[in-house]
Amino acid sequence: MTTTASGRPLDDPAHTDSGHPARTLVMWALALGGFGIGTTEFVAMGLLPEIATSIGVSEPTAGHVVSAYAAGVVVGAPLIATIAARVPRKTLLVALMVAFTLGNAATVLAPNYGLLVVSRFVAGLPHGAYFGVAALVAAHLAGPGRRARAVSLVMMGLSVANVVGVPAASWLGMALGWRAAFVLVAVIGVATIVALAAWVPTLSIPTTSVRVELGALKSSTVWLTLAVAVIGFGGVFAVYTYISTTLTDVAGVSRSLVPIALMLFGVGMVVGNAIGGRVADRGVIPGVYASITSLAVLLALFVAAAHNPWTAFVMVFGLGVGCAAVGPALQVRLMDVAEDAQTLAASLHHAAFNLANAFGAWIGGVVIAAGFGYTAPAAVGVLLALAGVAVFAISVRRREKAAPSRRDWIRK
């Protein structure tokens, strides 16, 4: 077992020195996997014209490769977390990244549209389970009082992907063909496999069973917390899906400057992750309330700010901050309420995130098609965020009634 300089096991939760070099390397390895996953999840959106032309389909049809990946995430998160309940966490992390790498390699080699869709579905399968297990490992190594910050470090890879990975892969795909973007993702996957195998210690996290993991699905608190993720995040994606047209048609921004706005959103996510982790470590439940309420305020401000290019850019950054700040607190909350079924619950968080993506894009399209304009998705997002706060309040109350002796409000 890997130990610290003091002779204490690296994965001993009592050892909370998050600055220890070995622990830092583990966090970097986990975040590198998140970086690769974030890159592959979003890069296809920017390369749809190239993909459509290459495989001889229309761009809307090519868009199904994005949906296939999201479907893989939703299916894979609960399925893998359940059937792999008895697999040691380090072994599972490496296996998930191997599957992710093979899925992206299959995307590179896919000779036709049908196999391309299948390869994207396969590449999406490990997504939720990887983030779920990585979050558990990070929280376990960090120990009490630092769990949310550790989770935010894992999620930082996903945020940085939007700033660096997606633009770099998009540029590579436009310069050398769209398949080159997924070659880069596969290379990141191989690097992550090596890093995980070399740096993640043998962990003392107990494994569970299929029965125990599925037990989480009996908890109304788990379902309500997942609903908070779908509803609360839905408003952000209602805006983000149509952000390009909003910036050009409402704010009057040149189309050539839209990528800068998207990069600002990614930078905001990096900042939001850091803030969200620290806030949640002061109190998970207050952290969820604060982050979702702040998101509602930011969405409301965007409705007015969208009419000016400068304020629109500022609020795009702000929405990135607000979106990412919610994640660490909700992830830790799910781990708390799931009790022994933490792997499934943590993985389902990312399935909920992808459902929020689909739901937000749909509701945003509905209000735009109804003639309410491109600021309407943000207005609807305010209502969704407030609904998320209400659902979370119900979940907290239910939890308190089920276990009145549990001091959830001050849980660190």
Side-chain angles (χ1 to χ4, degrees):
M1 178 178 294
T2 306
T3 61
T4 65
S6 63
R8 191 190 303 272
L10 177 62
D11 69 326
D12 184 349
H15 184 90
T16 57
D17 177 15
S18 62
H20 188 278
R23 182 163 299 166
T24 301
L25 289 175
V26 174
M27 296 302 178
W28 275 107
L30 296 174
L32 181 60
F35 178 77
I37 290 174
T39 300
T40 201
E41 181 178 17
F42 294 106
V43 72
M45 300 176 188
L47 294 174
L48 280 182
E50 287 79 7
I51 293 173
T53 300
S54 172
I55 60 179
V57 298
S58 67
E59 189 169 335
T61 300
H64 293 161
V65 303
V66 177
S67 301
Y69 184 91
V73 178
V74 174
V75 171
L79 181 64
I80 295 173
T82 302
I83 64 176
R86 294 189 180 278
V87 179
R89 303 300 90 172
K90 176 179 179 177
T91 302
L92 181 55
L93 279 172
V94 173
L96 289 168
M97 193 47 57
V98 168
F100 170 80
T101 304
L102 291 176
N104 281 281
T107 296
V108 175
L109 301 173
N112 55 54
Y113 171 73
L115 289 178
L116 178 60
V117 170
V118 171
S119 73
R120 297 314 295 153
F121 177 82
V122 171
L125 288 173
H127 177 129
Y130 176 85
F131 275 120
V133 177
L136 289 176
V137 170
H140 177 77
L141 292 177
R146 302 182 68 92
R147 295 183 305 152
R149 269 173 283 185
V151 170
S152 72
L153 285 174
V154 174
M155 296 300 295
M156 192 69 75
L158 183 62
S159 300
V160 173
N162 282 278
V163 183
V164 179
V166 174
S170 297
W171 174 84
L172 194 64
M174 292 177 185
L176 302 178
W178 66 268
R179 296 177 192 271
F182 295 97
V183 170
L184 176 62
V185 172
V187 170
I188 296 171
V190 171
T192 304
I193 293 168
V194 173
L196 292 173
W199 295 337
V200 176
T202 300
L203 298 161
S204 60
I205 302 175
T207 57
T208 57
S209 65
V210 172
R211 182 181 62 81
V212 170
E213 292 293 343
L214 289 177
L217 301 181
K218 298 179 181 179
S219 169
S220 62
T221 309
V222 169
W223 283 108
L224 286 169
T225 306
L226 290 170
V228 173
V230 175
I231 297 169
F233 280 124
V236 175
F237 287 112
V239 175
Y240 188 79
T241 302
Y242 306 98
I243 193 64
S244 295
T245 305
T246 303
L247 290 173
T248 55
D249 291 10
V250 179
V253 173
S254 169
R255 188 165 294 278
S256 63
L257 296 179
V258 170
I260 295 177
L262 300 182
M263 189 173 293
L264 282 174
F265 184 87
V267 173
M269 289 183 67
V270 173
V271 174
N273 256 316
I275 294 174
R278 290 185 176 275
V279 170
D281 275 334
R282 293 180 179 272
V284 174
I285 293 177
V288 174
Y289 277 125
S291 57
I292 300 181
T293 302
S294 298
L295 186 58
V297 172
L298 290 165
L299 286 163
L301 290 174
F302 184 82
V303 175
H307 295 277
N308 177 278
W310 294 103
T311 55
F313 270 53
V314 171
M315 290 314 302
V316 167
F317 169 81
L319 288 177
V321 174
C323 172
V326 179
L330 268 181
Q331 180 78 83
V332 174
R333 175 63 177 173
L334 270 172
M335 290 157 57
D336 286 344
V337 300
E339 297 178 350
D340 293 335
Q342 292 191 14
T343 303
L344 177 60
S347 300
L348 284 172
H349 173 72
H350 298 278
F353 184 84
N354 276 267
L355 285 175
N357 192 339
F359 170 64
W362 172 76
I363 195 68
V366 167
V367 295
I368 291 171
F372 292 105
Y374 278 89
T375 60
V380 172
V382 175
L383 299 178
L384 290 175
L386 293 176
V389 172
V391 172
F392 187 66
I394 294 171
S395 75
V396 171
R397 183 60 180 160
R398 276 181 169 271
R399 181 73 167 171
E400 289 174 346
K401 284 185 176 180
S405 64
R406 188 184 300 271
R407 307 299 295 172
D408 275 340
W409 180 263
I410 60 174
R411 180 182 285 251
K412 300 295 184 180

